Amino acid sequence: MANTEVILLDFWPSMYGMRVRVALADKGVKFEYKEENMAEKSSVLLEMNPVYKKIPVLIHNGKPICESLNVVRYIDEVWKDNVTLLPTDPYEKYKALFWADYVEKVFDSGRKLWMGKGEEKHTRKENYIESLRMLEGILGDKLYFGGENFGYLDISLIGICSWYYTYEKFGEFNTEIETPKIIAWMKRCMKRESVSKYVVEPLKVYDFALQIRKHYGIE
């Protein structure tokens, strides 16, 4: 399918936005990136996503597609002639969708870890590591979650390549010790041009997290 007008409303540290950026890049889809100020949301964002008022929003020929996993599925369906992200086998497709939903639990537990205060740090850390170990069990000894091919579930989790360092710093643990196969997977993913180009450097994300904590008075 020939590229038409594709615009992405996004915010640079968003792990949800990284999903969409990587999916577009993996498909070879050219797009216009528009950075959003989440403190002062643009009129375009409010118009294109009036329900949740969140990024990322993909605008394809003037039509908005919202919620990152929905957007990734849309990209996979529209640009069919390129690489396939979701498995074609119905059961394998179901599993990929199921575990992509589970990734939301990983991201949520990670957010609670870096945004929380000290008294519950141990519990938050254990919850995060437990959720990541569950995914490590699904990965097993495969190169990617989809086996030999980088695909939908890999893209669902890809933002962790930017955020894992922040989780480590606030949780006081080492991801490579706790989930070595996940770290090995991250390193393989980062060798892909579509990932290395659009996944934000971890130290930059950590600095962002420090600024957010300071803004909200979290010590």
Side-chain angles (χ1 to χ4, degrees):
M1 180 176 181
N3 287 350
T4 45
E5 185 184 46
V6 181
I7 300 171
L8 178 62
L9 307 181
D10 202 356
F11 181 46
W12 68 267
S14 170
M15 57 182 60
Y16 303 102
M18 289 180 213
R19 288 171 169 171
V20 179
R21 288 172 240 163
V22 171
L24 288 167
D26 221 54
K27 287 278 191 173
V29 179
K30 294 181 180 180
F31 63 98
E32 179 183 354
Y33 179 89
K34 291 191 175 183
E35 180 76 7
E36 282 287 331
N37 179 350
M38 300 312 294
E40 298 179 10
K41 298 175 183 179
S42 71
S43 59
V44 177
L45 175 60
L46 298 177
E47 177 186 353
M48 291 296 168
N49 190 359
V51 177
Y52 296 114
K53 303 176 177 61
K54 294 180 179 179
I55 52 87
V57 177
L58 186 73
I59 306 172
H60 185 206
N61 291 333
K63 299 177 181 179
I65 304 93
C66 306
E67 298 296 290
S68 62
L69 291 179
N70 290 337
V71 177
V72 173
R73 289 196 292 270
Y74 178 86
I75 292 168
D76 199 31
E77 292 176 10
V78 171
W79 286 276
K80 295 180 179 179
D81 296 337
N82 307 52
V83 295
T84 301
L85 302 179
L86 272 166
T88 54
D89 177 81
Y91 183 67
E92 293 301 319
K93 180 178 180 179
Y94 153 76
K95 288 200 298 183
L97 293 171
F98 176 87
W99 287 109
D101 286 340
Y102 181 83
V103 168
E104 301 303 297
K105 178 179 180 180
V106 179
F107 287 177
D108 183 61
S109 59
R111 181 187 59 79
K112 291 176 180 176
L113 185 59
W114 74 269
M115 280 293 287
K117 295 184 178 180
E119 63 271 10
E120 297 178 359
K121 182 171 66 177
H122 178 75
T123 299
R124 292 192 302 269
K125 178 180 72 173
E126 290 303 312
N127 288 341
Y128 169 74
I129 292 174
E130 181 183 354
S131 66
L132 203 58
R133 282 175 178 162
M134 183 70 74
L135 286 176
E136 185 177 54
I138 298 302
L139 176 63
D141 295 322
K142 301 190 294 291
L143 290 177
Y144 300 106
F145 284 97
E148 296 292 322
N149 300 316
F150 180 81
Y152 180 78
L153 185 50
D154 300 287
I155 287 176
S156 300
L157 186 61
I158 204 66
I160 203 171
C161 294
S162 287
W163 280 88
Y164 81 94
Y165 179 75
T166 297
Y167 301 155
E168 287 184 341
K169 293 295 286 185
F170 289 108
E172 298 181 341
F173 66 94
N174 186 301
T175 307
E176 190 160 19
I177 292 175
E178 301 293 346
T179 54
K181 292 181 180 179
I182 292 293
I183 286 290
W185 167 83
M186 289 186 200
K187 291 177 180 178
R188 285 192 292 273
C189 289
M190 289 303 296
K191 292 179 180 179
R192 301 179 61 86
E193 184 179 357
S194 62
V195 176
S196 62
K197 185 176 180 179
Y198 289 109
V199 166
V200 181
E201 204 278 322
L203 286 176
K204 188 176 179 181
V205 169
Y206 178 60
D207 287 341
F208 166 78
L210 289 174
Q211 293 173 25
I212 294 298
R213 285 175 61 92
K214 182 179 180 180
H215 175 78
Y216 286 104
I218 303 173
E219 299 296 338

